[in-house]
Amino acid sequence: MALAPTRERTAARPPSPTPSRGFWSSTLGKKTVMAVSGLIMLGYLVAHVAGNLKVFFGPGEFNAYGHWLRVMGAPVLHHEWALWLVRIVLLAAVVAHAVSAYQLSRRDIKARPTAYVHRRKRSSYATRTMRWGGIILALFIVWHVLDLTTGTVHPGGFEEGRPYQNVVDTFSTWYGNVVYIVAMLALGLHVRHGFWSAAQTLGVGSARRERLLKVLANTLALVLTAGFVSVPVAVMTGVVS
């Protein structure tokens, strides 16, 4: 008679919380957040470099593009509402990407507190520098916003509504060129490895698609890097002035 209540109490015991860990708590969840946020930022970069290349068509078209960014969505949306919506989504993606990357890094360090004696042979230069590349890009984003969005650190006098002249001012300084070009090289490496990692995390990668994904990752990295770097080079050489 005493055994029945014991069995009932055992059956009623709640299951261990370990198997039902939340999505964000799992390594796969963090990698998925990192992959999706990375793809959001990649989409923004493709649109951003296309807009930047309008500088080669002269101040009229580039300034008109800058104006359009502030009025896009009109008359449904008020002035700059759509632009601020894009900024908020992008900021959320950057924060989610950075936090998940940091937590995955800490988890990896805890899993193997001593460094590998030999580096893995398949580990590329981009893979080994992802962490530092992320830090470089984070610092660059702060500088870039303070330079060409708020004008706080802009050289030569920031002119609201005249992005063409502001771009020329920035890249007429040696440090503006150095900061921008170094950051864009880091971006290229980051995109090259990040796109590949995102494809694997989201289940797009496979043995049959491996070569195609590598070509696509390399092409995206090369096009973005060349597109962004072409602007300061054009100002330095007088093509854009």
Side-chain angles (χ1 to χ4, degrees):
M1 296 296 292
L3 293 178
T6 303
R7 284 198 299 268
E8 289 177 2
R9 285 196 298 271
T10 302
R13 183 179 300 167
S16 172
T18 303
S20 59
R21 293 171 64 189
F23 176 78
W24 172 249
S25 300
S26 67
T27 297
L28 178 60
K30 294 182 188 298
K31 286 185 176 181
T32 302
V33 170
M34 192 173 178
V36 173
S37 59
L39 291 176
I40 291 173
M41 289 187 287
L42 180 60
Y44 167 78
L45 289 171
V46 171
H48 190 41
V49 74
N52 280 8
L53 293 178
K54 288 182 176 292
V55 76
F56 289 98
F57 296 95
E61 186 153 345
F62 193 70
N63 289 341
Y65 165 68
H67 175 71
W68 173 81
L69 289 176
R70 286 163 172 74
V71 299
M72 61 179 174
V76 177
L77 299 177
H78 288 283
H79 185 71
E80 292 193 356
W81 277 22
L83 180 60
W84 274 105
L85 180 61
V86 171
R87 287 170 174 169
I88 291 170
V89 171
L90 188 61
L91 178 61
V94 170
V95 171
H97 196 77
V99 171
S100 55
Y102 174 77
Q103 293 186 356
L104 283 170
S105 176
R106 297 300 302 171
R107 184 168 292 185
D108 184 54
I109 291 172
K110 289 180 180 179
R112 49 175 183 82
T114 56
Y116 292 121
V117 176
H118 302 289
R119 294 186 186 274
R120 288 171 290 182
K121 293 182 179 180
R122 297 188 63 186
S123 178
S124 66
Y125 180 77
T127 304
R128 296 195 301 268
T129 56
M130 281 292 284
R131 197 170 301 164
W132 283 108
I135 294 172
I136 290 172
L137 290 173
L139 294 174
F140 168 75
I141 289 171
V142 174
W143 174 81
H144 194 52
V145 169
L146 292 176
D147 177 28
L148 292 175
T149 301
T150 66
T152 307
V153 298
H154 184 76
F158 182 77
E159 297 183 61
E160 186 70 38
R162 299 188 64 188
Y164 183 92
Q165 189 58 48
N166 294 332
V167 167
V168 171
D169 288 344
T170 292
F171 297 131
S172 295
T173 62
W174 68 266
Y175 60 86
N177 291 306
V178 170
V179 170
Y180 194 86
I181 292 174
V182 168
M184 292 307 101
L185 293 176
L187 174 68
L189 291 174
H190 211 77
V191 168
R192 178 175 176 269
H193 177 71
F195 181 82
W196 169 257
S197 297
Q200 303 304 311
T201 298
L202 299 176
V204 178
S206 66
R208 294 178 58 185
R209 302 191 189 102
E210 182 174 358
R211 186 174 181 179
L212 175 61
L213 287 171
K214 284 185 177 180
V215 170
L216 187 55
N218 290 335
T219 302
L220 276 170
L222 181 61
V223 169
L224 286 173
T225 303
F228 281 121
V229 169
S230 67
V231 177
V233 170
V235 174
M236 283 190 290
T237 56
V239 174
V240 172
S241 61

